Amino acid sequence: MSIFVAQDTRLLIQGMGRMGQFHCGLSQEFGTEVVAGIAPGKAGLTLQGVPIFESVRDAVRETGANTSVVFVPGPFAADAVLEAVAAGIGLVVAVTEFIPVRDMLRVCHAISGSGSRLIGPNCPGLLSPGEKIRIGISPSSIFRAGEVGVVSRSGTLTYESVNQLSKLGIGQSTCIGIGGDPIPGTNFIDVLDAFEKDPATRAVVMIGEIGGSAEEEAAEFVSSEMSKPVAAFIAGRTAPPGKRMGHAGAIISGGSGAAIDKLQALEKAGIAVAESPAEIGKTLRQAAGL
Amino acid sequence: MNVHEYQAKALLREYGVEVPVGKLAMSAEEAEAAASEIGGTVAVKAQIHAGGRGKGGGIKVVKTPADARSAAAAMLGSRLVTPQTDVEGKLVRRVYVEAGTQIDRELYFAILVDRSTQNVVVLASTEGGVEIEAVAAETPEKILTVQVDPLVGLSDYQVRNLGLDLGLEGKQAASLVKLGQALYRLFVEKDCSQVEVNPLVVSGDSVIALDCKLNFDDNALFRHPDIRELRDLDEEDAREAEASDYDLSWVSLEGNIGCMVNGAGLAMATMDIIKLYGGSPANFLDVGGGVTPEGATRAFRLILADPNVKAILVNIFGGIVRCDVIAEGVIEAARSIGLKVPLVVRLDGTNAEQGRKMLEESGLDIVSAKGMADAAEAVCKVARG
């Protein structure tokens, strides 16, 4: 079982360009059912064996798509997310990087209360090895099915930790990249809450980084609401203040967002924190007694 | 993206915010002319992208055009060190000459995004003219905040209430509402990430923006060609600017281990693990997901151009990035520029085997590492010499 998606996932790909088609193929190989794609001016064609539509509304009506992944470029991505939610898509995963903050503020407020969930943007997406569901861009070969949930603001650090877990023989239930942007559709607490309630998840790995206060808020949630063991890593202990470290959200500004504050909050909440990024897997194994 | 004070003030003026009369000067002569045109007491202000200029001697209040000339002459061409610059300071290339303002009170006013509530937030304080971080740390109760739903926008009553809490009266409060609405409109329409007026001075019946700092959302610059034109490359680190031309994300640091990594999180973690093994990173570099062999070559050239670099660590976990593409770029750069420092490479993920084989067969002197810990340990060892 996976969180946020079910076995009846019928995936729609918004933005069937080069990247959309490439990852469409990889998701299909992994066993995910891709039912439709959107590409402007290509309606009626079939790409990667998938019928292409002009609008999400048409794709949903014709194929029963219930989940979508957005590869649309930054300037147009907010519109794509709103279109998917308006068409009744229950889960939208936005891989797109470089979406303006103002657009994301509007989107997050507009879709709250709609019943739809947005994961991302600027994220690798969701992968559930046991359910054979791959939505996004993760390299599927490193995953193995199991009982550890992974949630992370960083794509490559998700891969790094998943790889460490798999090499230790520890499989994963669901892995979710919530993205490196300052205004994410889904935050740590949303995912931690779902993992706590998910009978298929026994322990959780949480990967944070500098910028904002999402890790501090998550730490509080873990200490008051969670019974399952959590292991964590925070990237950016050596990052200088005032500099954007690759991700739009990874910046220490106005005296907040430093790694040390996050580390203290995590430790105070009883979360096992890996000192080294090479020890994330081992830290989880110890914390969960696996 | 940051802009200079004089550019920010021009935008404020365009939006109807009251700012003092001012003129830009590129030379001492121009500063003198500006001062005599403005008349009376003027402030000569160094234009650099860093705050705390007053503390570093970058703001001088003078009474005559001749004094404006000598103040400008002292600043122009000198390096200004402030609490927000590094020890080297920043070269002053231009000054802004501004009419003196009667100051009754100094307030603080800012608009930014609250990441936790996903709202826009307006901050105000009676403690203007000082660093707001210090106020936040010592007397947080003196910072007033107003949450603004981005779909609703800023309401007049919200600013009016702020004015009351700041102790403004009558026409001053009305002046604050006008300023607040103008700044909010600027914040939204120009995709600012921060609008900060510090100090906002109360002068008779008006509130006047005496200093102003604007930051813009880089991701939204595509819809603001006018703002993009305000970019001053002289104020940016040369390598950071060059890297951004190639869609590489780079931050220059002070250590001696050059880093080339894919993904922001892994790149930060690589810096962290280098430190953990006693080394010090020379840079942060995320080559991104869509990197080509040319991009990888350029990235490698940037690292090699830093004379401080004593060793290089390439740490790639291939997802979308293919390890063979990285290997090709590394080999190409090393061959064309010549590799004079030790190179440690860790490749994992997509096409790692192929990449490792290419490096092995290249004949270059490369240490191949398994995993991050091995790689960090090896590179720190060779960097120590």
Side-chain angles (χ1 to χ4, degrees), chain B residues 62 74 111 139 203 311 344 353 382:
Chain B
V62 295
I111 306 177
T139 48
S203 183
V344 177
E353 208 51 55
V382 292

Side-chain angles (χ1 to χ4, degrees), chain A residues 16 19 32 42 62 76 121 137 149 157 161 188 196 201 227:
Chain A
M16 274 292 252
M19 193 172 167
T32 306
K42 292 192 176 153
E62 299 296 322
F76 316 105
I137 57 173
L157 273 182
S161 6
F188 279 127
E196 175 70 12
T201 299
S227 60

Side-chain angles (χ1 to χ4, degrees), chain A residues 268-284:
Chain A
K268 203 175 137 211
I271 296 169
V273 180
E275 281 290 309
S276 158
E279 313 248 295
I280 298 168
K282 283 184 196 155
T283 306
L284 181 281

Side-chain angles (χ1 to χ4, degrees), chain A residues 7 10 18 25 32 50 75 103 113 130 156 173 178 237 243 263 278:
Chain A
Q7 263 174 332
R10 296 174 66 76
R18 200 178 54 88
T32 306
V50 169
D103 296 6
T156 40
S173 53
I178 57 173
R237 289 180 201 225
K243 289 284 186 183
L263 292 164

Side-chain angles (χ1 to χ4, degrees), chain A residues 98-103 105 108-109 137 153-154 156 160 184 212-213 217 236-238 243 245-246 249 254 276, chain B residues 115-116 118-119 133 150 188 191 217 219 222-223 240 249 262-266 269 271-273 276 284 317 320 346:
Chain A
F98 309 124
I99 304 181
V101 168
R102 193 223 301 175
D103 296 6
L105 288 174
C108 287
H109 279 265
I137 57 173
R153 275 170 70 188
S154 150
T156 40
E160 180 69 46
S213 56
E217 288 148 25
R237 289 180 201 225
T238 54
K243 289 284 186 183
M245 306 303 284
S276 158
Chain B
R115 292 167 63 161
S116 296
Q118 304 195 329
N119 281 331
E133 286 82 10
V188 173
D191 282 285
D217 179 0
N219 292 354
F222 70 89
R223 52 190 174 209
E240 285 173 25
S249 189
N262 67 316
L266 192 62
M271 287 161 46
D272 295 348
I273 199 169
L276 214 55
F284 164 94
F317 203 108
I320 332 176
R346 179 269 180 133

